[in-house]
């Protein structure tokens, strides 16, 4: 279950939950749990789904929801260099769920949510949370970009495009480097009073230059509770960058949007409109977050598809000109500077 922010041992709880997630990821636990669903899923396909089947499925889904929800990383843990390890563990757990067909099971169950006669219609909020935690921290644009990596283009076209892209990136990096140098010299003499977030999550008032190591603390916050530390949370996104995970998520989101998305969101929207007692404010927030992710993914996917189609057409038409520009740029980049004086 999620950590209670007001408790005194938040960091210990987070560490324990991450260790639990690591233990499950490194064992055969998921495979064993999935095997328990074989009979209920068969009954679901045969329209012989019983209440006992539903209770077992609900229990398993709740377990996976709780493990997926283990994503909190405090500022202290980030400062200790743990963020990359936690993100890697999150990705490995997602990959495990794909490998053990848990994601496929979630998609299948979601498609049965719309049947009011089914026991599963009561689990729409549970499934919504599962999708929410799967998408949490991910960038829809990165996942949509996984689509473009699977497209094949002509070898000469791809080579020319990559060369041109490389030259443009080098020029952009050079511009950024010069801009940073100008800014550093422009602001190097500025000093004053500013605040800084300390390791324990509190705020200290400092005097001097923000980039200077000789800044003196003018005022430290008073801590009347003694050793109890404030937890500084960072809710910024830490998206997956591994191609394999992004491709798996891309296919998963596509199947979700083409299958159970409308069914799930429609059932929850009806509950929201009717002000169903089971709906809480947090459920409404999660509902719109999942919807926002889906819309953003679809937008980026459509934009990328159109851009790639247009770019490939333009490259085919202007391939000779691109080759000439690349050759000219290469000569300029590697020319002797003294020749231009």
């Amino acid at each position: 279950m999620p950590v209670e922010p007001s408790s005194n041992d938040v960091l210990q709880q987070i560490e324990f939950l991450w260790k639990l997630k690591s233990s499950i990821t490194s064992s055969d636990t998921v495979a064993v749990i999935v095997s328990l669903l074989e009979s209920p899923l068969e009954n679901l396909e045969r329209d012989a789904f019983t209440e006992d089947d539903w209770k077992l499925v609900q229990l398993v889904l709740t377990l996976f929801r709780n493990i997926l929800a283990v994503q909190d990383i405090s500022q202290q843990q980030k400062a200790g260099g743990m963020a990359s390890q936690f993100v890697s563990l999150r990705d490995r757990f997602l990959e495990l769920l794909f490998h053990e067909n848990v994601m496929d099971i979630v998609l299948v169950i979601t498609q049965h949510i719309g049947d009011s006669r089914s026991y599963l219609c009561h689990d729409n909020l549970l499934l919504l949370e599962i999708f929410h935690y799967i998408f949490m921290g991910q960038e829809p644009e990165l996942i949509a970009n996984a689509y473009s990596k699977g497209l094949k283009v002509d070898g000469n076209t791809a080579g020319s495009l990559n060369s041109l892209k490389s030259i443009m990136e080098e020029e952009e990096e050079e511009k950024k480097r010069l801009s940073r140098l100008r800014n550093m010299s422009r602001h190097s003499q500025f000093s004053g009073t500013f605040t800084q977030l300390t390791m324990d999550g509190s705020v200290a008032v400092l005097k001097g230059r923000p980039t200077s190591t000789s800044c003196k603390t003018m005022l430290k916050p008073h801590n009347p509770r003694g050793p109890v530390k404030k937890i500084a949370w960072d809710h910024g996104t830490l998206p997956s960058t591994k191609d394999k995970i992004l491709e798996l998520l891309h296919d998963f989101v596509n199947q979700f949007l083409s299958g159970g998305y409308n069914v799930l969101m429609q059932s929850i929207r009806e509950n929201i409109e009717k002000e169903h007692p089971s709906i809480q404010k947090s459920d409404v927030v999660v509902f719109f977050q999942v919807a926002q992710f889906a819309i953003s993914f679809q937008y980026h996917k459509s934009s990328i598809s159109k851009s790639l189609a247009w770019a490939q057409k333009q490259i085919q038409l202007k391939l000779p000109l691109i080759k000439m520009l690349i050759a000219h740029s290469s000569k300029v980049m590697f020319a002797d500077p003294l020749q231009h004086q």
Side-chain angles (χ1 to χ4, degrees):
M1 296 300 291
V3 175
E4 175 56 48
S6 61
S7 57
N8 294 330
D9 57 347
V10 173
L11 286 179
Q12 289 84 350
Q13 292 182 57
I14 294 176
E15 290 175 3
F16 173 79
L17 289 173
W18 279 109
K19 288 179 180 178
L20 175 63
K21 190 169 187 174
S22 176
S23 177
I24 293 175
T25 304
S26 305
S27 65
D28 297 326
T29 304
V30 173
V32 173
I33 293 174
V34 170
S35 66
L36 300 175
L37 297 179
E38 182 177 354
S39 177
L41 291 176
E42 288 179 354
N43 292 338
L44 182 63
E45 292 299 320
R46 299 200 310 261
D47 291 331
F49 198 66
T50 66
E51 184 176 358
D52 289 337
D53 293 332
W54 168 56
K55 290 180 179 179
L56 178 57
V57 170
Q58 186 184 66
L59 185 64
V60 172
L61 290 178
T62 302
L63 173 62
F64 287 136
R65 187 275 311 272
N66 291 343
I67 301 173
L68 284 166
V70 180
Q71 300 199 37
D72 291 328
I73 305 176
S74 68
Q75 285 283 18
Q76 289 88 335
Q77 290 169 322
K78 279 195 172 185
M82 299 295 294
S84 60
Q85 298 181 33
F86 289 152
V87 171
S88 176
L89 175 56
R90 180 199 65 189
D91 288 351
R92 286 192 289 116
F93 182 70
L94 283 176
E95 192 172 347
L96 176 64
L97 294 185
F98 280 110
H99 183 264
E100 298 297 341
N101 299 319
V102 174
M103 298 299 210
D104 291 333
I105 292 174
V106 170
L107 291 173
V108 169
I109 293 175
T110 303
Q111 295 175 4
H112 290 80
I113 288 295
D115 187 359
S116 59
R117 298 168 299 175
S118 172
Y119 292 106
L120 293 172
C121 68
H122 302 290
D123 293 329
N124 55 357
L125 291 176
L126 175 59
L127 285 164
L128 180 71
E129 287 184 314
I130 290 176
F131 286 107
H132 170 65
Y133 287 122
I134 291 173
F135 300 150
M136 179 178 285
Q138 304 293 345
E139 283 289 348
E141 185 175 3
L142 290 178
I143 298 175
N145 269 324
Y147 167 78
S148 63
K149 294 180 180 179
L151 296 180
K152 295 182 179 179
V153 296
D154 178 74
N156 294 331
T157 302
S160 301
L161 182 60
N162 290 335
S163 299
L164 184 59
K165 181 180 179 182
S166 177
I167 293 171
M168 294 173 65
E169 288 177 349
E170 290 176 1
E171 292 179 352
E172 186 66 24
E173 285 297 323
E174 181 65 17
K175 290 179 182 178
K176 290 181 180 179
R177 186 182 69 84
L178 293 175
S179 177
R180 285 196 298 267
L181 290 175
R182 286 195 296 268
N183 289 335
M184 287 177 63
S185 62
R186 182 185 306 168
H187 303 296
S188 60
Q189 302 303 318
F190 287 1
S191 64
T193 303
F194 61 96
T195 60
Q196 185 179 69
L197 187 67
T198 61
M199 292 291 290
D200 65 353
S202 60
V203 177
V205 180
L206 305 178
K207 182 179 181 181
R209 293 197 302 271
T211 57
S212 173
T213 57
S214 61
C215 297
K216 296 182 179 179
T217 302
M218 293 181 60
L219 179 64
K220 291 185 178 180
H222 177 60
N223 187 0
R225 298 183 62 188
V228 178
K229 292 185 177 181
K230 175 183 176 182
I231 304 301
W233 297 101
D234 186 352
H235 296 287
T237 59
L238 292 171
S240 301
T241 56
K242 291 175 57 179
D243 289 344
K244 185 174 183 180
I245 292 294
L246 293 175
E247 290 170 4
L248 289 171
L249 286 172
H250 178 272
D251 293 340
F252 175 77
V253 177
N254 266 337
Q255 293 180 56
F256 176 46
L257 294 180
S258 61
Y261 175 80
N262 288 335
V263 176
L264 176 63
M265 302 302 274
Q266 177 67 23
S267 68
I268 296 175
R269 194 192 74 176
E270 291 175 354
N271 289 343
I272 293 175
E273 291 176 345
K274 295 176 182 178
E275 298 183 353
H276 194 278
S278 64
I279 296 292
Q280 301 178 7
K281 290 183 178 180
S282 59
D283 298 324
V284 179
V285 173
V286 171
F287 172 83
F288 282 106
Q289 286 177 338
V290 172
Q292 181 185 25
F293 182 93
I295 294 171
S296 179
F297 169 83
Q298 197 64 29
Y299 167 78
H300 288 298
K301 179 185 172 184
S302 177
S303 299
I304 292 168
S305 180
K306 291 178 181 178
S307 298
L308 285 174
W310 180 86
Q312 289 181 14
K313 183 178 180 180
Q314 294 300 314
I315 290 173
Q316 291 291 345
L317 293 174
K318 301 179 180 180
L319 188 57
L321 177 60
I322 292 175
K323 290 182 177 180
M324 183 179 68
L325 289 173
I326 292 173
H328 176 70
S329 299
S330 299
K331 290 180 181 179
V332 173
M333 289 176 62
F334 297 104
D336 188 350
L338 296 177
Q339 295 179 0
H340 299 283
Q341 294 182 355

